Structures are given as C-alpha cells and as structure tokens.
Amino acid sequence: VIGNFLTRALNHAAIYLILQRATGADRLRRLCVEVLRPRAGERFLDIGCGPAYLLDYLPDVTYVGFDTEPRYIAYARRHYGARATFYCEAFTEAHASGLPPFDAVLLMGILHHLSDGEAGALLGRIGRVLRRGGRVISLDPCFDRDSSRIAHVVAALDRGRFVRDERGYENLVRPYFARVDSHVVHNVGRLPSTEIVMHITEPAARLGGAGGRRGP
Ligand SMILES: C[S@@+](CC[C@H](N)C(=O)[O-])C[C@H]1O[C@@H](n2cnc3c(N)ncnc32)[C@H](O)[C@@H]1O
C-alpha cells in the first residue's frame, strides 16, 4: 500500500522534484553531466528524461527528451519547451533511424526500469545514434556488498524492478559498446544509497558488433 502510494505521488513532477532536491539525488546527476563535459551547440539525447531538470545544468545544447510518463513530459514542456523537444513515448527503432546523430546520451535512472532484453535493445539503438566520439552516461541504484543495510533496502524498494549489481549493469552494455568505465558510489546524497555511474563510449555498431544489428 505504501509502495503504491509512493509510486503515485512520485509520478507528479513537482513531488518528484522536491524529493530529488531534498534527498540530494540531484547532486549526482549534476556530477554525471560534468563528466560529459557538455559544450554549447552539441546535440543531447535524454532517455527517461522525467521533468528534464537536467537542462538547468546544461549549456546551450540541442536537447531531445523522451519519457513515457505524461505528467513528467507535461512539466518538461511547460518549463523547458522553448529550448528543448520532448516525446512522450519510448525511444524506438524509428526514432533511432529518423533523428540526426547525437554527441551525448543521458540515461539517468532508466536502465533499472528495463528488463535485460529492453535495455539491450535500447543500448543497441543508442550506439547507432551516437556521433563518432560520442559518449553516454548512465546512473542507477545498485546492489553492492559494501552497501549499508539501509542503502540496500532503499535500492530494493525502488520503483524500478530491475536494480542490478555492477556486473549486471556492465553485462547489459558490453555487447553494444567497446568501453564502459563504471563507478559504484555510496551515500552521495543525503540518504544512505548505493548507485552506479557508467561512462560508456565506442559503440560496437561502428565495429560491426552486436550493436550493429538492426532490429525490426
Ligand atoms: C528514476 S526516473 C529518472 C528521471 C530523470 N532522468 C531524472 O534523472 O530525474 C526514471 C524515468 O524513466 C521513465 N521511463 C521508464 N521506462 C521508460 C521507457 N521505456 N522509455 C522512456 N522513459 C521511461 C520514467 O517515466 C521516469 O521518468
């Protein structure tokens, strides 16, 4: 009952944003953006963009956001519609082949919402929309043996049904990218938490690997 209530409350963009800031979850997102070293004029793709507040941390980039939750996209359009484009849908094969290539892709809190099959299909598509030298950053809750008991419970109670350990997340990426640098971090926000940041580059699609196969 509490889980359902929380899920419904979090689907309201304003409540989600208050909680992000109250728990310090926005700090790690800000750090992730810094790792990408965004430059004005670049093209950014944000999948599972939520209310899209990452735009507050980005220079004047061309930003395209995808999210399946209508309330988040409505908020994003109201607040950032003048400087960004939003799709209230999943990022499909049609988008991957129809949109111009991107310099950077943000996967902030999405992979743990996707099954292995869904995540693999998404990563393959991302490999194909990246420009040469493009980079991807992901952030997700993570199980780890060094987590505190509370951090473990926080990860287990997440709305996403596919929280994994470091190896589990890396295994999603490896068929589609030649390089993944992952870091498991503890308690970066105000609550006990364990999260994994992956900096992902060199799509296998360019080398003719698994990511190069086009789906239906
Ligand atoms: C943990 S939230 C992260 C939101 C935002 N990226 C952030 O960092 O605050 C995960 C988001 O992924 C979205 N989502 C889940 N499955 C999705 C899918 N298949 N395609 C696009 N968005 C999805 C959810 O609606 C939710 O907004």
Side-chain angles (χ1 to χ4, degrees):
V1 175
I2 293 174
N4 273 345
F5 170 77
L6 267 183
T7 299
R8 274 191 278 126
L10 282 170
N11 284 342
H12 289 277
I15 295 176
Y16 178 78
L17 287 170
I18 288 168
L19 274 179
Q20 287 278 299
R21 292 189 175 126
T23 58
D26 54 329
R27 284 185 203 158
L28 201 44
R29 284 161 169 76
R30 197 176 202 137
L31 284 173
C32 286
V33 169
E34 281 171 20
V35 168
L36 285 181
R37 297 170 179 264
R39 289 182 293 271
E42 288 192 315
R43 286 180 54 78
F44 269 63
L45 173 64
D46 189 350
I47 298 177
C49 64
Y53 73 90
L54 254 58
L55 269 160
D56 290 340
Y57 312 144
L58 288 168
D60 190 12
V61 298
T62 299
Y63 174 104
V64 181
F66 282 81
D67 202 287
T68 48
E69 170 51 54
R71 279 170 286 194
Y72 289 165
I73 289 295
Y75 180 100
R77 285 190 176 130
R78 267 199 316 279
H79 288 79
Y80 303 104
R83 56 177 287 215
T85 307
F86 297 102
Y87 293 81
C88 189
E89 49 194 298
F91 182 72
T92 63
E93 195 54 47
H95 299 119
S97 45
L99 290 170
F102 290 89
D103 299 290
V105 179
L106 299 159
L107 300 176
M108 297 286 100
I110 172 100
L111 291 177
H112 72 285
H113 285 276
L114 304 181
S115 68
D116 287 8
E118 290 166 335
L122 176 62
L123 289 159
R125 279 175 206 135
I126 290 172
R128 293 193 291 278
V129 296
L130 265 193
R131 264 189 191 143
R132 185 176 295 279
R135 62 266 193 226
V136 182
I137 196 112
S138 72
L139 169 68
D140 288 279
C142 182
F143 293 126
D144 187 74
R145 73 160 78 95
D146 293 334
S147 295
S148 67
R149 195 176 287 257
I150 300 179
H152 185 90
V153 170
V154 168
L157 288 177
D158 194 281
R159 285 182 294 170
R161 291 186 298 120
F162 301 96
V163 176
R164 303 166 172 94
D165 62 11
E166 181 175 21
R167 181 183 291 210
Y169 283 111
E170 285 187 352
N171 284 345
L172 295 176
V173 177
R174 290 206 188 282
Y176 303 97
F177 289 84
R179 179 134 197 215
V180 49
D181 295 315
S182 58
H183 300 275
V184 174
V185 293
H186 300 279
N187 309 324
V188 173
R190 293 191 189 91
L191 284 183
S193 66
T194 300
E195 286 164 281
I196 181 168
V197 176
M198 293 191 288
H199 187 225
I200 303 163
T201 50
E202 300 177 26
R206 297 202 182 285
L207 312 170
R213 276 189 264 121
R214 284 208 172 251

mmCIF file of all heavy atoms in Angstrom, residues 178-200:
data_model
loop_
_atom_site.group_PDB
_atom_site.id
_atom_site.type_symbol
_atom_site.label_atom_id
_atom_site.label_comp_id
_atom_site.label_asym_id
_atom_site.label_seq_id
_atom_site.Cartn_x
_atom_site.Cartn_y
_atom_site.Cartn_z
ATOM 1 N N ALA A 178 32.377 -0.875 -26.805
ATOM 2 C CA ALA A 178 33.687 -1.448 -26.518
ATOM 3 C C ALA A 178 34.225 -0.960 -25.181
ATOM 4 O O ALA A 178 35.103 -1.579 -24.595
ATOM 5 C CB ALA A 178 34.658 -1.089 -27.639
ATOM 6 N N ARG A 179 33.716 0.181 -24.686
ATOM 7 C CA ARG A 179 34.325 0.743 -23.474
ATOM 8 C C ARG A 179 33.255 1.164 -22.472
ATOM 9 O O ARG A 179 32.340 1.919 -22.821
ATOM 10 C CB ARG A 179 35.143 1.970 -23.905
ATOM 11 C CG ARG A 179 35.789 2.641 -22.780
ATOM 12 C CD ARG A 179 37.225 2.962 -23.064
ATOM 13 N NE ARG A 179 37.834 3.223 -21.764
ATOM 14 C CZ ARG A 179 38.758 4.103 -21.559
ATOM 15 N NH1 ARG A 179 39.259 4.775 -22.563
ATOM 16 N NH2 ARG A 179 39.220 4.290 -20.350
ATOM 17 N N VAL A 180 33.374 0.645 -21.260
ATOM 18 C CA VAL A 180 32.498 1.104 -20.183
ATOM 19 C C VAL A 180 33.335 1.270 -18.914
ATOM 20 O O VAL A 180 34.020 0.346 -18.483
ATOM 21 C CB VAL A 180 31.290 0.157 -19.967
ATOM 22 C CG1 VAL A 180 31.682 -1.294 -19.874
ATOM 23 C CG2 VAL A 180 30.502 0.544 -18.719
ATOM 24 N N ASP A 181 33.324 2.501 -18.380
ATOM 25 C CA ASP A 181 34.023 2.780 -17.119
ATOM 26 C C ASP A 181 32.958 2.968 -16.051
ATOM 27 O O ASP A 181 32.210 3.950 -16.084
ATOM 28 C CB ASP A 181 34.845 4.074 -17.233
ATOM 29 C CG ASP A 181 35.954 3.919 -18.256
ATOM 30 O OD1 ASP A 181 36.633 2.884 -18.231
ATOM 31 O OD2 ASP A 181 36.118 4.828 -19.088
ATOM 32 N N SER A 182 32.891 2.020 -15.110
ATOM 33 C CA SER A 182 31.820 2.127 -14.115
ATOM 34 C C SER A 182 32.387 2.452 -12.736
ATOM 35 O O SER A 182 33.517 2.062 -12.402
ATOM 36 C CB SER A 182 30.998 0.844 -14.085
ATOM 37 O OG SER A 182 31.811 -0.243 -13.798
ATOM 38 N N HIS A 183 31.602 3.167 -11.979
ATOM 39 C CA HIS A 183 31.979 3.539 -10.613
ATOM 40 C C HIS A 183 30.784 3.333 -9.704
ATOM 41 O O HIS A 183 29.709 3.882 -9.971
ATOM 42 C CB HIS A 183 32.394 5.012 -10.537
ATOM 43 C CG HIS A 183 33.563 5.324 -11.410
ATOM 44 N ND1 HIS A 183 34.856 5.143 -11.005
ATOM 45 C CD2 HIS A 183 33.620 5.749 -12.686
ATOM 46 C CE1 HIS A 183 35.672 5.455 -11.985
ATOM 47 N NE2 HIS A 183 34.940 5.824 -13.024
ATOM 48 N N VAL A 184 30.966 2.543 -8.644
ATOM 49 C CA VAL A 184 29.906 2.369 -7.654
ATOM 50 C C VAL A 184 30.170 3.389 -6.547
ATOM 51 O O VAL A 184 31.287 3.471 -6.024
ATOM 52 C CB VAL A 184 29.908 0.932 -7.097
ATOM 53 C CG1 VAL A 184 28.899 0.798 -5.956
ATOM 54 C CG2 VAL A 184 29.578 -0.055 -8.221
ATOM 55 N N VAL A 185 29.158 4.193 -6.243
ATOM 56 C CA VAL A 185 29.350 5.261 -5.257
ATOM 57 C C VAL A 185 28.314 5.113 -4.137
ATOM 58 O O VAL A 185 27.183 4.705 -4.384
ATOM 59 C CB VAL A 185 29.257 6.669 -5.901
ATOM 60 C CG1 VAL A 185 30.423 6.903 -6.835
ATOM 61 C CG2 VAL A 185 27.946 6.853 -6.647
ATOM 62 N N HIS A 186 28.756 5.443 -2.932
ATOM 63 C CA HIS A 186 27.888 5.281 -1.762
ATOM 64 C C HIS A 186 27.559 6.637 -1.147
ATOM 65 O O HIS A 186 28.440 7.502 -1.022
ATOM 66 C CB HIS A 186 28.586 4.420 -0.699
ATOM 67 C CG HIS A 186 28.931 3.048 -1.196
ATOM 68 N ND1 HIS A 186 28.029 2.011 -1.246
ATOM 69 C CD2 HIS A 186 30.095 2.548 -1.698
ATOM 70 C CE1 HIS A 186 28.608 0.932 -1.733
ATOM 71 N NE2 HIS A 186 29.875 1.226 -2.018
ATOM 72 N N ASN A 187 26.293 6.784 -0.761
ATOM 73 C CA ASN A 187 25.860 7.904 0.084
ATOM 74 C C ASN A 187 26.260 9.282 -0.447
ATOM 75 O O ASN A 187 26.717 10.129 0.322
ATOM 76 C CB ASN A 187 26.426 7.721 1.507
ATOM 77 C CG ASN A 187 26.124 6.332 2.040
ATOM 78 O OD1 ASN A 187 25.060 5.776 1.759
ATOM 79 N ND2 ASN A 187 27.054 5.759 2.783
ATOM 80 N N VAL A 188 26.093 9.489 -1.735
ATOM 81 C CA VAL A 188 26.424 10.812 -2.287
ATOM 82 C C VAL A 188 25.343 11.831 -1.938
ATOM 83 O O VAL A 188 25.632 13.002 -1.712
ATOM 84 C CB VAL A 188 26.635 10.741 -3.814
ATOM 85 C CG1 VAL A 188 26.809 12.127 -4.405
ATOM 86 C CG2 VAL A 188 27.858 9.894 -4.119
ATOM 87 N N GLY A 189 24.091 11.371 -1.858
ATOM 88 C CA GLY A 189 23.002 12.281 -1.465
ATOM 89 C C GLY A 189 22.893 12.358 0.051
ATOM 90 O O GLY A 189 23.830 12.035 0.775
ATOM 91 N N ARG A 190 21.714 12.775 0.522
ATOM 92 C CA ARG A 190 21.523 12.898 1.975
ATOM 93 C C ARG A 190 21.025 11.605 2.601
ATOM 94 O O ARG A 190 21.024 11.459 3.813
ATOM 95 C CB ARG A 190 20.544 14.028 2.287
ATOM 96 C CG ARG A 190 21.101 15.386 1.936
ATOM 97 C CD ARG A 190 20.264 16.527 2.469
ATOM 98 N NE ARG A 190 20.770 17.770 1.903
ATOM 99 C CZ ARG A 190 20.316 18.299 0.768
ATOM 100 N NH1 ARG A 190 19.340 17.723 0.105
ATOM 101 N NH2 ARG A 190 20.847 19.410 0.306
ATOM 102 N N LEU A 191 20.538 10.674 1.763
ATOM 103 C CA LEU A 191 20.053 9.390 2.278
ATOM 104 C C LEU A 191 21.103 8.313 2.015
ATOM 105 O O LEU A 191 21.856 8.422 1.045
ATOM 106 C CB LEU A 191 18.791 8.961 1.524
ATOM 107 C CG LEU A 191 17.463 9.637 1.843
ATOM 108 C CD1 LEU A 191 16.361 8.987 1.012
ATOM 109 C CD2 LEU A 191 17.155 9.504 3.329
ATOM 110 N N PRO A 192 21.124 7.259 2.839
ATOM 111 C CA PRO A 192 22.017 6.145 2.501
ATOM 112 C C PRO A 192 21.615 5.589 1.137
ATOM 113 O O PRO A 192 20.434 5.343 0.896
ATOM 114 C CB PRO A 192 21.722 5.117 3.610
ATOM 115 C CG PRO A 192 21.076 5.886 4.707
ATOM 116 C CD PRO A 192 20.363 7.029 4.073
ATOM 117 N N SER A 193 22.583 5.445 0.249
ATOM 118 C CA SER A 193 22.250 4.942 -1.093
ATOM 119 C C SER A 193 23.509 4.379 -1.728
ATOM 120 O O SER A 193 24.629 4.724 -1.350
ATOM 121 C CB SER A 193 21.706 6.073 -1.974
ATOM 122 O OG SER A 193 22.732 7.012 -2.197
ATOM 123 N N THR A 194 23.304 3.482 -2.680
ATOM 124 C CA THR A 194 24.414 2.990 -3.498
ATOM 125 C C THR A 194 23.982 3.113 -4.940
ATOM 126 O O THR A 194 22.909 2.642 -5.319
ATOM 127 C CB THR A 194 24.735 1.523 -3.168
ATOM 128 O OG1 THR A 194 25.093 1.439 -1.786
ATOM 129 C CG2 THR A 194 25.888 1.006 -4.016
ATOM 130 N N GLU A 195 24.816 3.764 -5.739
ATOM 131 C CA GLU A 195 24.469 3.956 -7.149
ATOM 132 C C GLU A 195 25.667 3.648 -8.030
ATOM 133 O O GLU A 195 26.811 3.660 -7.570
ATOM 134 C CB GLU A 195 23.982 5.390 -7.361
ATOM 135 C CG GLU A 195 22.580 5.549 -6.777
ATOM 136 C CD GLU A 195 22.167 6.989 -6.594
ATOM 137 O OE1 GLU A 195 22.603 7.599 -5.618
ATOM 138 O OE2 GLU A 195 21.415 7.451 -7.430
ATOM 139 N N ILE A 196 25.356 3.369 -9.289
ATOM 140 C CA ILE A 196 26.433 3.106 -10.247
ATOM 141 C C ILE A 196 26.350 4.141 -11.362
ATOM 142 O O ILE A 196 25.271 4.423 -11.885
ATOM 143 C CB ILE A 196 26.351 1.668 -10.811
ATOM 144 C CG1 ILE A 196 27.499 1.422 -11.797
ATOM 145 C CG2 ILE A 196 25.003 1.377 -11.475
ATOM 146 C CD1 ILE A 196 27.682 -0.045 -12.179
ATOM 147 N N VAL A 197 27.520 4.702 -11.677
ATOM 148 C CA VAL A 197 27.645 5.613 -12.811
ATOM 149 C C VAL A 197 28.463 4.878 -13.864
ATOM 150 O O VAL A 197 29.535 4.348 -13.558
ATOM 151 C CB VAL A 197 28.391 6.909 -12.413
ATOM 152 C CG1 VAL A 197 28.597 7.797 -13.628
ATOM 153 C CG2 VAL A 197 27.646 7.645 -11.316
ATOM 154 N N MET A 198 27.960 4.817 -15.082
ATOM 155 C CA MET A 198 28.744 4.208 -16.170
ATOM 156 C C MET A 198 28.985 5.260 -17.251
ATOM 157 O O MET A 198 28.038 5.893 -17.731
ATOM 158 C CB MET A 198 28.004 3.004 -16.770
ATOM 159 C CG MET A 198 27.872 1.841 -15.815
ATOM 160 S SD MET A 198 27.291 0.316 -16.630
ATOM 161 C CE MET A 198 25.580 0.714 -16.961
ATOM 162 N N HIS A 199 30.255 5.418 -17.612
ATOM 163 C CA HIS A 199 30.627 6.296 -18.721
ATOM 164 C C HIS A 199 30.928 5.369 -19.896
ATOM 165 O O HIS A 199 31.852 4.548 -19.837
ATOM 166 C CB HIS A 199 31.848 7.132 -18.320
ATOM 167 C CG HIS A 199 32.212 8.181 -19.318
ATOM 168 N ND1 HIS A 199 33.488 8.420 -19.724
ATOM 169 C CD2 HIS A 199 31.444 9.042 -20.013
ATOM 170 C CE1 HIS A 199 33.505 9.394 -20.614
ATOM 171 N NE2 HIS A 199 32.265 9.791 -20.801
ATOM 172 N N ILE A 200 30.127 5.483 -20.934
ATOM 173 C CA ILE A 200 30.102 4.463 -21.988
ATOM 174 C C ILE A 200 30.476 5.111 -23.324
ATOM 175 O O ILE A 200 29.892 6.130 -23.711
ATOM 176 C CB ILE A 200 28.672 3.876 -22.081
ATOM 177 C CG1 ILE A 200 28.223 3.308 -20.725
ATOM 178 C CG2 ILE A 200 28.582 2.831 -23.168
ATOM 179 C CD1 ILE A 200 26.712 3.085 -20.620
#
